[in-house]
Amino acid sequence: MKRQWKLFTVLAIGIVSLILDFGFGNPSLGNFPISEILIDIFGIFMALTLLKEMIETIEGGNWGVDILAIIAVVSTMIVGDYWAAWMILVMLTGGDSLEDYATSQADKELKSLLKNTPRVADKLVDGKVQQVKVDDLKIGDTVLIKPGSQVPVDGEIVKGSSSFDQSSLTGESVPVDKTIGDTLMSGSLNGDNAVEMKVTKLAKDSEYQTIVALVKTSEAQPAKFVKMADRYAVPFTIISLIIGIAAMLVSIYTNPGAGWQAHFMRFAQVMVVASPCPLLIAAPVAMVSGMSSMSKHHIIVKSGTTLEKLARVLTFAFDKTGTLTENQLVINEVVPTEGTDLTKEELQSLAASVEQQSSHIMATSLVKNTKDDLLKKADDIKEVTGKGVTGKVEGKEVKVGKLSFVAPNQEPLNINSTAIYISVDGKFVGYITFKDQIRPNTASTIARLRRQGVKQIMMLTGDHKNVADKIAKEAGISEAEVHADLLPAQKIAAIKDVKPDLRPVAMVGDGVNDAPSLMAADVGIAMGAKGATAASESADAVIMVNDLSKVNDAVAISKHTMRVAHIDIITAICVVILIELVAFTGIIPAIWGAIIQEVVDLITILLALLAKKKPTNPSETGLLPKD
């Protein structure tokens, strides 16, 4: 942890000082005890650090509570109460360490950024395969793309044909058939056949690497949010300074014979109990508790700030493929042509029987969705990659695949869905359409989000408008909220165009193409059940199970955590101000003021731990009484 060393240093100084004071008779250098010198040196360092952070906060247009921490440290050092100064330093560095702990919880759960980026390629040189670094490929080189491997750079097929899964790049739910002359995008996955590709773009200019660059650009421009404790800073600071200055003035008026140090001590006594440690500790402890609750629900959150932003989200943007849908095809319609005597069941039976040995996604989906008693024995099966399959079923020659393969002379049909076409004995007899299957809990998740206070829900997808509209209708998303045919850069634009009164914006996605959008949104949530991807590495939160309703849980826990944190901070402020009024009278020595502060810290921590409790408020969970 980057600031934990400060806490360990303060504790070490305290131990050394304790030994010097009580073990060696409090040795001195000049007129100053060595213990005081050690604590004051680190106290000056911390004061300068806090001053720097305060200036940065003010330059950012905000006012933090750092000013009170600086005054508390400096004033106790001025009056020579170095043990009170040490107690304050323990509280300050402890708060920083808690905040770092909260931020670091998820990072250790995740893999290095974009580990799926293509790094090596199989380059063909004089007919032999040489494995080279992707960055070493040049335009015009020939690369072998093996079955199941990733396309390393953008290129054009020069030999062979296969189907390529581009869903993580474009959002298309169905693998795309590619043959000689077709372009390939880096990052897409090859199907079952090897192809040879000519490199058309260098690695740095290819599609996958362009998406990585977009992620880095979006990461360099993060949304700015104010620390929760800082929102209470101005009134708390003003009240505390007024009480402290008043205590000093009363001392001057009532005891004019006392020296300046005695008068200033009254100010210091108030400043010690006015130290903002409870404010600084309340939020981190609540965040750690909330993040722990998230983990129990299989949600990894990268920082406490994510909880604060997620609790206030007014717009949710969802990727379609693999997020709102299962990314698994199901049969939509079976349509025999007019004039054929085949029924829908018979047409499906013939097509599925021929497709039984094919590994194409539409073939496997067709067979999976066909009853076993409809699957007949098929002979003489021949598969033409990228076109279709032929075979004989019960003496009939059946062709299944693209229209140009099945019935070359047939007029193109106006079908707004993914489809396969069927001919029997050379006659076109019909087609079967497929649709991406919506998750069973998508509609309920969307409905719950609206009850949780989300004002707008958007669908952002690279898929076609007609396909997106069908899924949106089932999900409960209005047509006006659907944004289709989008490339990664256009998804970012759609997020940035959300009106200010509908922000913050959360984006939920799972593909590589979603990574820039997740970074551009105020909160990025990745469906990471399939492993660490560009999406999960770019996100602020990662859902580790394949359950969309976890988005509702994330919102509920965030709202509950922030409610607990706000109550905790307000309680701490009220208690501290009461103690300040007691310190105003001068009856609380600075060291005892610091000890009382530790008691307040303990109360603060115990209250903040309530964030670990399961949310039950319907306004937070979005659940109806019957749920």
Side-chain angles (χ1 to χ4, degrees):
M1 297 181 192
K2 60 184 179 181
R3 293 183 291 185
Q4 199 177 47
W5 68 270
K6 294 180 182 179
L7 175 61
F8 291 148
T9 303
V10 170
L11 293 175
I13 290 173
I15 292 170
V16 171
S17 298
L18 194 66
I19 293 170
L20 288 172
D21 279 11
F22 298 100
F24 293 92
N26 195 10
S28 302
L29 279 177
N31 294 324
F32 299 99
I34 294 176
S35 299
E36 182 176 354
I37 293 171
L38 290 174
I39 292 171
D40 284 357
I41 288 172
F42 195 78
I44 292 168
F45 167 76
M46 282 298 297
L48 291 173
T49 302
L50 289 169
L51 181 63
K52 178 176 177 290
E53 291 177 0
M54 185 186 75
I55 292 170
E56 290 174 351
T57 302
I58 293 172
E59 286 177 347
N62 301 304
W63 182 269
V65 292
D66 296 331
I67 183 66
L68 287 177
I70 294 171
I71 293 172
V73 172
V74 173
S75 60
T76 49
M77 289 192 299
I78 289 174
V79 298
D81 198 339
Y82 56 90
W83 280 113
W86 180 81
M87 294 282 284
I88 296 170
L89 291 173
V90 170
M91 291 184 286
L92 290 173
T93 55
D96 287 343
S97 297
L98 277 171
E99 195 170 347
D100 284 346
Y101 175 75
T103 302
S104 68
Q105 283 306 287
D107 292 339
K108 65 183 180 182
E109 302 281 347
L110 301 172
K111 306 298 181 182
S112 58
L113 179 65
L114 301 175
K115 75 169 190 176
N116 292 329
T117 304
R119 290 184 175 86
V120 295
D122 293 322
K123 179 180 175 182
L124 287 171
V125 181
D126 298 326
K128 295 182 179 179
V129 176
Q130 292 183 359
Q131 199 167 77
V132 299
K133 293 181 179 179
V134 169
D135 291 337
D136 294 337
L137 289 175
K138 298 176 181 177
I139 294 174
D141 285 348
T142 302
V143 176
L144 175 66
I145 312 296
K146 296 177 181 178
S149 65
Q150 198 174 35
V151 178
V153 294
D154 290 0
E156 180 182 308
I157 296 178
V158 294
K159 183 178 180 182
S161 58
S162 187
S163 61
F164 289 82
D165 182 355
Q166 301 178 160
S167 60
S168 67
L169 296 165
T170 65
E172 292 177 280
S173 51
V174 181
V176 180
D177 293 325
K178 302 275 188 176
T179 188
I180 295 173
D182 289 336
T183 59
L184 295 177
M185 291 188 292
S186 66
S188 53
L189 292 172
N190 188 13
D192 300 320
N193 301 296
V195 299
E196 293 180 14
M197 178 193 82
K198 180 177 71 176
V199 175
T200 58
K201 287 184 181 179
L202 297 176
K204 64 183 180 67
D205 301 320
S206 293
E207 183 70 20
Y208 193 102
Q209 288 77 6
T210 301
I211 290 173
V212 172
L214 283 170
V215 172
K216 291 178 179 177
T217 301
S218 298
E219 189 175 22
Q221 302 171 344
K224 294 182 180 179
F225 276 79
V226 183
K227 271 186 177 181
M228 183 178 57
D230 290 345
R231 295 199 189 100
Y232 300 92
V234 173
F236 181 66
T237 301
I238 292 172
I239 292 171
S240 298
L241 287 174
I242 288 173
I243 295 174
I245 293 170
M248 186 168 62
L249 293 175
V250 168
S251 177
I252 294 171
Y253 179 77
T254 57
N255 192 14
W260 72 269
Q261 196 171 17
H263 301 315
F264 192 77
M265 175 63 80
R266 295 285 291 276
F267 175 78
Q269 288 168 346
V270 174
M271 287 300 100
V272 168
V273 296
S275 171
C277 296
L279 275 72
L280 298 174
I281 289 175
V285 173
M287 298 305 178
V288 171
S289 300
M291 291 167 69
S292 173
S293 181
M294 287 277 200
S295 297
K296 289 179 182 177
H297 287 78
H298 308 289
I299 306 164
I300 303 300
V301 180
K302 293 186 179 181
S303 73
T305 309
T306 300
L307 295 175
E308 184 174 358
K309 291 186 283 187
L310 189 55
R312 298 163 50 203
V313 164
L314 294 178
T315 295
F316 258 91
F318 286 88
D319 172 54
K320 180 184 73 69
T321 306
T323 303
L324 295 176
T325 68
E326 298 275 17
N327 201 13
Q328 295 177 1
L329 296 179
V330 294
I331 294 173
N332 185 26
E333 288 184 297
V334 179
V335 185
T337 57
E338 293 183 10
T340 181
D341 57 355
L342 291 174
T343 64
K344 290 182 179 182
E345 190 175 81
E346 290 169 338
L347 182 63
Q348 182 176 340
S349 174
L350 290 172
S353 298
V354 172
E355 293 274 34
Q356 288 180 84
Q357 296 181 24
S358 176
S359 59
H360 192 280
I361 184 172
M362 282 190 284
T364 56
S365 298
L366 175 61
V367 174
K368 183 180 177 181
N369 288 278
T370 301
K371 296 177 181 178
D372 290 342
D373 59 349
L374 294 179
L375 295 174
K376 311 295 183 183
K377 182 182 177 184
D379 300 312
D380 300 331
I381 292 178
K382 296 177 183 177
E383 183 166 3
V384 181
T385 303
K387 294 184 178 180
V389 179
T390 64
K392 287 190 175 181
V393 180
E394 297 179 338
K396 299 173 183 178
E397 184 179 5
V398 180
K399 277 189 175 183
V400 182
K402 291 184 175 179
L403 186 60
S404 58
F405 172 72
V406 168
N409 300 322
Q410 176 67 35
E411 288 287 328
L413 302 175
N414 184 23
I415 300 174
N416 294 322
S417 301
T418 302
I420 56 172
Y421 302 87
I422 305 105
S423 69
V424 176
D425 294 332
K427 181 183 177 182
F428 178 57
V429 293
Y431 59 89
I432 299 173
T433 62
F434 296 85
K435 65 177 180 179
D436 197 0
Q437 189 173 10
I438 191 169
R439 289 176 183 266
N441 58 358
T442 293
S444 61
T445 297
I446 300 300
R448 275 185 68 188
L449 281 175
R450 296 193 193 278
R451 292 195 295 269
Q452 286 175 302
V454 176
K455 303 298 182 184
Q456 177 179 234
I457 295 178
M458 305 162 60
M459 179 195 288
L460 306 180
T461 179
D463 218 338
H464 304 300
K465 183 73 164 63
N466 59 306
V467 176
D469 284 341
K470 291 178 181 177
I471 296 296
K473 187 176 181 181
E474 291 183 61
I477 300 173
S478 69
E479 192 172 330
E481 295 175 317
V482 176
H483 302 258
D485 297 304
L486 300 181
L487 294 173
Q490 292 171 317
K491 288 186 178 183
I492 292 176
I495 289 170
K496 289 184 175 179
D497 287 343
V498 174
K499 295 177 181 178
D501 60 336
L502 291 174
R503 286 184 173 276
V505 180
M507 172 72 190
V508 186
D510 75 324
V512 174
N513 66 316
D514 299 320
S517 309
L518 295 173
M519 288 301 308
D522 299 312
V523 181
I525 302 175
M527 300 291 292
K530 296 179 182 177
T533 64
S536 61
E537 296 297 341
S538 304
D540 300 297
V542 182
I543 295 172
M544 302 305 293
V545 293
N546 195 25
D547 183 356
L548 190 63
S549 69
K550 292 298 178 182
V551 173
N552 299 120
D553 291 340
V555 173
I557 293 169
S558 298
K559 286 180 177 291
H560 175 67
T561 299
M562 296 314 300
R563 183 168 61 85
V564 169
H566 280 293
I567 292 172
D568 198 7
I569 286 176
I570 292 170
T571 302
I573 287 174
C574 293
V575 171
V576 167
I577 289 175
L578 286 173
I579 298 172
E580 286 176 20
L581 293 172
V582 176
F584 173 88
T585 64
I587 64 173
I588 303 178
I591 183 65
W592 279 103
I595 293 171
I596 291 170
Q597 265 281 342
E598 292 289 358
V599 174
V600 175
D601 287 349
L602 180 60
I603 295 171
T604 300
I605 290 170
L606 292 175
L607 285 174
L609 290 174
L610 292 175
K612 294 185 75 170
K613 291 185 64 178
K614 184 179 179 180
T616 56
N617 190 321
S619 65
E620 295 172 350
T621 64
L623 292 172
L624 297 172
K626 62 181 179 181
D627 297 330

